[in-house]
Amino acid sequence: MTPGLMPSEFMTPEPPKERSVLSSNGLSTTANVQRSLRQCLSIAAELLYDNGHVLETITLPQRGLAHRELLTLCAAAPTWATCQKVMEASEAATFNEYGRFVLTRLGREIMFDMFGQGAADCA
């Protein structure tokens, strides 16, 4: 043995244990994303109503918001663009086969959970 070295110094270090990433408020990244998504869905519902739409505009897969309507919403309420990005990144919203913005099954289920059956009858 080399003088002055202890046997433990010859051992390879243990890899760091994986930890759940916590934000400054103590919530995991997953919890923050879900909370952010719920906030965006709530804001989206309010913005739709404020701009003359009904919630079924995005909860019914065959309906949706056309590109022109999305631009109008973004101009009237800049927070729409942020919420739309969060909804798409969370896979809670997408564009249907007609190129219209709609909620996915996940988005409809969360919307139903938040607002009740009338909000998303097809969830």
Side-chain angles (χ1 to χ4, degrees), residues 3-56:
L5 293 178
M6 303 296 290
S8 63
E9 292 173 304
F10 294 115
M11 297 171 52
T12 57
E14 224 178 280
K17 294 181 181 173
E18 285 189 33
R19 288 178 260 161
S20 176
V21 178
L22 296 179
S23 68
S24 60
N25 61 7
L27 295 174
S28 70
T29 302
T30 304
N32 276 330
V33 167
Q34 186 179 47
R35 187 178 72 189
S36 179
L37 175 58
R38 286 179 176 271
Q39 287 173 336
C40 284
L41 287 168
S42 179
I43 291 167
E46 181 180 353
L47 293 176
L48 286 170
Y49 176 77
D50 289 347
N51 288 278
H53 298 280
V54 294
L55 196 52
E56 287 79 7

Side-chain angles (χ1 to χ4, degrees), residues 34-111:
Q34 186 179 47
R35 187 178 72 189
S36 179
L37 175 58
R38 286 179 176 271
Q39 287 173 336
C40 284
L41 287 168
S42 179
I43 291 167
E46 181 180 353
L47 293 176
L48 286 170
Y49 176 77
D50 289 347
N51 288 278
H53 298 280
V54 294
L55 196 52
E56 287 79 7
T57 302
I58 62 171
T59 60
L60 296 174
Q62 68 274 16
R63 290 200 56 197
L65 292 166
H67 183 70
R68 177 178 31 90
E69 293 166 319
L70 289 172
L71 290 175
T72 302
L73 269 172
C74 287
T79 54
W80 176 268
T82 302
C83 286
Q84 182 179 337
K85 287 178 187 173
V86 169
M87 290 186 283
E88 288 182 71
S90 301
E91 297 182 359
T94 190
F95 288 86
N96 66 14
E97 62 271 12
Y98 307 107
R100 299 172 71 88
F101 183 78
V102 295
L103 295 180
T104 63
R105 181 175 178 86
L106 170 68
R108 289 189 306 273
E109 286 175 2
I110 295 171
M111 190 70 81

